[in-house]
Amino acid sequence: MTETQPRHPTDADADHRAPDEAPDYTAVVERALAALDLDTKVRLLSGQDMWTLPAVPAIGLRSLVMSDGPVGVRGREWNAEDPSVTLPSPTALAATWDPALARRTGHLLAQEARRKGVHVLLAPTVNLHRSPLGGRHFECYAEDPLLTGAIGAGYVRGVQEGGVGATVKHFVGNDAETDRFTVDNRIAPRPLRELYLAPFEHIVELARPWGVMTAYNRVNGATMTEHRALVQDVLRGEWGFDGVNVSDWTAARDTVRALRGGLDVAMPGPRTVYGAPLAEVVRAGEVAESEVDDAVRRVLLLAARTGCLEGVPAAVGPAGVPQGIDGRAVAREIARRGCVLLRNEPVGGARRVLPLDAAGLRGVAVIGAAAREARVLGGGSATVFPDAVVSPLEGLRAALPDDVEVTFAVGADPRTRVPHARDGFTLRARYLAADGRVLAEAPQADGKVRLTGGLPEGVTRQDLSAVELTGSYLPRLTGSHTLAVSGTGRLRLTVGGAVLFDGRLAPGGSDPFEAYLRPAQRRMTAELTAGESVEVTLRCAADGPQTGDSQALPAFALGHGEPRPDADAEIEEAVRAAAGADVAIVVVATTEETESEGFDRRDLRLPGRQDELVTRVAAANPHTVVVVNSGSPVELPWRTEVPAVLLSWFPGQEAGAALADVVLGAHEPGGRLPTTWPARLTDAPVTTVTPADGQLTYSEGVYIGYRGWQRSAPAPAYPFGHGLGYTDWEYESLDTTPDSVRVRVRNAGDRPGREVVQIYLAPTADAAPDAPERPARWLAGFAVVEAGPGESAEAEIPLPDRAFAVWEAGDGGEAADGGWRRVKGVYRVEAAHSVTDRRLTAEVTVG
């Protein structure tokens, strides 16, 4: 058995390989470390608040600021006062299959981070789509480790080329949300190495991230913040990771075990297992101060790299930082290139439905609650506040000619919670002392108040007694309006001088963050008149005295819904609108109640009556296009009833503009599925995400995603790698060696196009006699090509050594024991449009 080093598809592009670190910070880090006493050292390993590490002016160390950043940089504060460029979900970025675009995404986010004074982004999330029920999969990339690693490496390179640190998370096995704080995921060494650790290894080798975040969960009995075998032996020892290991928020549990396990920073602060508790165990002789020094060195190195340590140049100087990037343009490009055209059939023998021919249209019916109020991002800690959102309805109206009549109907609203107050509201937040004094006041873009990052200037936790969301609402419609309050603390809602609610709401759910991310909501009604403004105030008083704990800050929201007809009437209205139009565009979506951090999904059905809506609209108008606005798979029982199905994922702030680009043919949908879409949940290879007796056994081994689908009888609705464009591609030739393949394709259509050439390896019957059981095929490489009508394009794609190898566990049976074995024999090399649409094959012999 021999150890082989991986060569990944992106290795051929030197642009994607991390440069040698410069300058060498060893001397300055050692000098700074020598100037610190024990109490100062341990303070540097513990957050001073929710998002920052403390400054040490004596050594020129500034406070280092962290922020969530998968789709946008939130900054220190979680409110709409400082908006963020809001990009499409990571699943949309992965659907582009384009590491270079991921790298440009990183450049933009680094620019946003610098604008907001952020030094480290807590992203990307590279856990795998083990089961379609994973509630947070919109924040991850794919079911395949190679695709995940390649997109993640591009993202990390881009962020760090902008002088901002990236933190790859969640290391490792955080592949579901149920009982995520306590679950013990039992993963055998082979799938742990070949699947779940593989994206992290790929990114560490290719992009050299400055940070990694260890997860809440356990793996094979050890909590990840204390997992010495995986952190110290594998991540640092075997892979050479030299960055900072930061805990997920509140994940650190034990002072000694965390330090010995390789955890550098415990977040958030100020009360963690580090700081004073760490100094105490050092003085008691339980751990050596030299062990603390190792962690502090890594924190000081991160500070130097990000420009937070005075007297030394940052890893990326001002001249080398990409800047002047148009955030809206990048958001729009990702959204349209990540769009996956799942189905596009002709109607009545005519041309395919998409792209629409605007010149021949007289009327378009746009249907669905998400068409008017797009769901642009997933729920949870990755949430940011865009300064503006282009809804599908707005985008289509702006792009269609003036003589095309665009009608809108809600059809079916899937939301079970009242949405945040926004349209028609003019709001501000007032911060009040106990005696009623106004400590500060700030405009509020909507009814959601979040204060995790800090308070306005002049406001302290000790002085703050309550926060008031106050202003006015100008109704558009006369009738019974729904108001809602949610949050923690004592809430009092006054509308037009009348008190509609005064009381406390009890948090629910088993996840400690669920009360914050998805608080209990109470609704009530008010009779309002169109055009008559009414004063609205929602006051939130903190329960108990405020302390240094940033989580004690108020978090609350005002919701609002306009008067609506009953559900049957809404569907009937949509059917009439569709019947009277040339084309019906139905936007269906998931909600924060179905896809969010903090809980897993119970099923894959679209919420509410949206399936019924699509069926009814399609029966009324055969030219129906369905846009699926979700972050991960949903069942589409009507998919064969409509000629066109377009997957937009969570499309970010430019949702409508990008949708119009694709639907009207200004750009083709460039996406390919990064994860398999089942026809039914019960067909999926893995449907268990709920632990039993605290444990979740990954009994499927390496057979997740398409690897597992190839062993099951039912075919999925849409396979891994699937996606249609607006042109056709002919695969002309495939030349292969044990090191690389060369594929030639030709655009056989009448317009420019983009193809993702996918390379799969499949073992043959001539494999070595002692070869272990392996999937029928697996992704070994890919490349994006573009060509005009009739033109050909070539892609040269390396075949990594790792693609021919399996992990064989050693005698210890742990992931740190054993090695990679290159499996000899004859392999089929397949050039494919998707995992099930294989166009050319060749054979290669590996000795």
Side-chain angles (χ1 to χ4, degrees):
M1 184 169 63
T2 59
E3 179 81 10
T4 63
Q5 296 301 314
R7 288 179 58 244
H8 301 284
T10 47
D11 283 15
D13 181 358
D15 236 11
H16 288 283
R17 181 172 290 284
D20 293 336
E21 292 291 352
D24 183 355
Y25 293 115
T26 303
V28 69
V29 165
E30 292 302 322
R31 218 170 24 247
L33 179 65
L36 302 177
D37 59 22
L38 175 61
D39 291 321
T40 305
K41 291 175 186 176
V42 297
R43 280 199 303 115
L44 287 178
L45 306 184
S46 183
Q48 66 178 351
D49 53 29
M50 182 64 84
W51 303 113
T52 71
L53 295 182
V56 183
I59 62 169
L61 178 65
R62 294 187 290 275
S63 178
L64 189 145
V65 180
M66 308 178 195
S67 173
D68 281 313
V71 299
V73 182
R74 186 173 60 244
R76 300 188 190 202
E77 299 186 13
W78 201 351
N79 59 53
E81 188 176 348
D82 182 16
S84 308
V85 172
T86 305
L87 302 176
S89 61
T91 42
L93 181 60
T96 70
W97 289 59
D98 192 343
L101 181 57
R103 182 182 176 194
R104 288 200 289 118
T105 300
H107 290 162
L108 168 64
L109 291 173
Q111 175 178 281
E112 280 280 281
R114 295 193 307 274
R115 179 177 70 82
K116 293 194 170 202
V118 169
H119 308 107
V120 176
L121 283 186
L122 304 172
T125 304
V126 299
N127 301 110
L128 297 185
H129 296 179
R130 172 179 173 263
S131 165
L133 291 175
R136 201 176 181 179
H137 280 348
F138 60 85
E139 194 180 315
C140 311
Y141 290 128
E143 68 187 23
D144 181 78
L146 179 61
L147 177 58
T148 296
I151 299 297
Y155 177 104
V156 170
R157 282 293 312 273
V159 169
Q160 294 185 170
E161 285 168 348
V164 175
T167 310
V168 189
K169 63 184 186 182
H170 307 85
F171 190 78
V172 62
N174 186 180
D175 310 301
E177 295 295 283
T178 304
D179 296 343
R180 60 179 174 157
F181 290 88
T182 57
V183 62
D184 182 9
N185 292 323
R186 311 300 292 193
I187 313 173
R190 184 180 168 195
L192 185 57
R193 280 286 190 159
E194 293 183 18
L195 297 180
Y196 303 102
L197 285 170
F200 293 93
E201 180 183 10
H202 189 125
I203 294 168
V204 168
E205 182 195 344
L206 261 66
R208 299 180 189 173
W210 299 345
V212 161
M213 179 187 290
T214 38
Y216 293 117
N217 55 278
R218 300 173 183 267
V219 170
N220 299 331
T223 299
M224 281 311 307
T225 51
E226 303 167 6
H227 210 307
R228 184 177 182 88
L230 292 181
V231 174
Q232 297 285 56
D233 297 344
V234 175
L235 175 64
R236 288 204 175 109
E238 185 181 326
W239 301 346
F241 172 68
D242 67 351
V244 165
N245 172 17
V246 59
S247 74
D248 205 341
W249 266 225
T250 74
R253 296 169 171 86
D254 182 88
T255 301
V256 175
R257 291 198 301 268
L259 189 68
R260 293 267 167 83
L263 182 69
D264 297 321
V265 174
M267 292 295 289
R271 294 192 297 274
T272 77
V273 299
Y274 285 171
L278 180 54
E280 184 178 336
V281 298
V282 172
R283 292 187 172 110
E286 296 181 52
V287 297
E289 188 169 350
S290 61
E291 296 176 84
V292 175
D293 289 348
D294 288 340
V296 176
R297 283 188 181 94
R298 289 186 283 267
V299 171
L300 292 173
L301 175 59
L302 177 62
R305 284 170 163 167
T306 57
C308 290
L309 191 60
E310 295 176 4
V312 294
V316 181
V321 171
Q323 52 191 326
I325 304 168
D326 185 339
R328 291 185 59 186
V330 173
R332 187 168 177 170
E333 181 179 0
I334 298 169
R336 66 186 179 226
R337 288 183 57 183
C339 272
V340 180
L341 184 57
L342 297 175
R343 177 177 170 85
N344 193 22
E345 298 296 320
V347 178
R351 61 187 292 275
R352 292 183 176 123
V353 172
L354 293 179
L356 298 179
D357 180 5
L361 294 177
R362 294 166 301 168
V364 175
V366 181
I367 297 168
R372 185 170 61 188
E373 299 175 55
R375 188 179 181 201
V376 301
L377 41 68
S381 61
T383 302
V384 293
F385 295 88
D387 61 352
V389 172
V390 182
S391 71
L393 180 60
E394 292 170 327
L396 290 166
R397 277 181 169 157
L400 285 165
D402 293 339
D403 60 352
V404 177
E405 181 182 8
V406 178
T407 59
F408 170 74
V410 170
D413 192 332
R415 295 171 296 194
T416 58
R417 293 173 67 88
V418 180
H420 300 129
R422 189 176 183 93
D423 292 342
F425 283 82
T426 302
L427 299 169
R428 61 190 184 279
R430 303 200 313 161
Y431 301 83
L432 307 176
D435 59 5
R437 285 181 298 115
V438 178
L439 302 172
E441 191 168 342
Q444 189 77 17
D446 63 12
K448 190 180 198 178
V449 178
R450 292 288 185 267
L451 300 173
T452 58
L455 293 165
E457 186 175 352
V459 182
T460 66
R461 294 186 183 90
Q462 290 73 24
D463 292 338
L464 182 65
S465 176
V467 179
E468 276 187 354
L469 182 67
T470 186
S472 63
Y473 171 58
L474 184 65
R476 190 175 62 91
L477 300 174
T478 296
S480 183
H481 289 244
T482 301
L483 281 303
V485 298
S486 61
T488 56
R490 186 175 184 88
L491 297 166
R492 179 184 174 92
L493 174 64
T494 305
V495 178
V499 177
L500 299 188
F501 180 83
D502 190 355
R504 289 182 172 84
L505 297 179
S510 59
D511 191 311
F513 286 160
E514 189 168 358
Y516 188 83
L517 298 173
R518 192 175 60 158
Q521 187 179 77
R522 183 73 59 83
R523 62 180 66 189
M524 60 284 308
T525 60
E527 296 298 324
L528 303 177
T529 303
E532 294 185 7
S533 181
V534 62
E535 296 299 311
V536 178
T537 298
L538 176 58
R539 177 187 177 94
C540 179
D543 276 329
Q546 294 299 293
T547 67
D549 186 352
S550 57
Q551 292 193 50
L553 290 170
F556 64 100
L558 170 67
H560 171 260
E562 290 185 325
R564 291 173 51 189
D566 65 45
D568 288 337
E570 286 187 326
I571 290 181
E572 292 295 339
E573 180 188 4
V575 170
R576 287 193 298 272
D582 298 317
V583 175
I585 300 175
V586 185
V587 182
V588 296
T590 59
T591 68
E592 286 195 12
E593 293 83 62
T594 51
E595 281 190 274
S596 176
E597 177 182 355
F599 57 91
D600 289 313
R601 299 160 74 185
R602 295 185 292 272
D603 56 56
L604 301 184
R605 293 189 296 272
L606 286 167
R609 298 174 64 178
Q610 294 180 100
D611 287 332
E612 177 187 353
L613 173 67
V614 172
T615 297
R616 295 280 304 277
V617 167
N621 189 331
H623 295 85
T624 293
V625 177
V626 182
V627 180
V628 183
N629 185 187
S630 71
S632 51
V634 293
E635 293 175 0
L636 309 175
W638 36 258
R639 64 187 183 279
T640 59
E641 302 171 18
V642 297
V645 181
L646 183 68
L647 170 58
S648 68
W649 308 101
F650 294 146
Q653 69 178 63
E654 298 300 311
L659 179 63
D661 286 342
V662 169
V663 168
L664 298 177
H667 296 269
E668 74 166 355
R672 304 293 184 267
L673 287 179
T675 195
T676 307
W677 276 50
R680 294 169 299 275
L681 171 62
T682 53
D683 295 340
V686 182
T687 58
T688 302
V689 293
T690 301
D693 298 324
Q695 293 186 351
L696 181 62
T697 301
Y698 286 36
S699 57
E700 69 282 351
V702 297
Y703 294 98
I704 69 168
Y706 67 87
R707 290 168 168 83
W709 279 100
Q710 293 173 120
R711 298 207 307 175
S712 62
Y718 299 105
F720 177 80
H722 172 72
L724 307 174
Y726 290 156
T727 188
D728 296 313
W729 291 90
E730 292 182 357
Y731 280 58
E732 296 183 323
S733 64
L734 169 64
D735 300 311
T736 183
T737 72
D739 298 317
S740 67
V741 299
R742 183 183 296 274
V743 183
R744 184 177 180 85
V745 297
R746 186 175 69 86
N747 181 350
D750 58 2
R751 57 174 289 156
R754 175 182 184 270
E755 174 71 335
V756 178
V757 178
Q758 303 163 40
I759 301 297
Y760 295 90
L761 288 180
T764 70
D766 295 323
D770 61 344
E773 181 186 7
R774 286 177 290 175
R777 59 187 44 79
W778 54 89
L779 184 70
F782 59 91
V784 176
V785 297
E786 296 181 353
E791 295 178 350
S792 295
E794 281 192 349
E796 184 168 2
I797 304 170
L799 288 179
D801 294 337
R802 181 65 57 81
F804 300 101
V806 297
W807 179 262
E808 291 193 342
D811 295 337
E814 296 292 337
D817 303 320
W820 291 101
R821 173 192 170 192
R822 183 181 175 92
V823 181
K824 300 177 182 179
V826 179
Y827 290 82
R828 200 165 52 250
V829 181
E830 302 168 339
H833 178 77
S834 77
V835 72
T836 61
D837 185 3
R838 302 180 293 276
R839 304 291 180 88
L840 295 174
T841 63
E843 287 190 346
V844 62
T845 301
V846 174

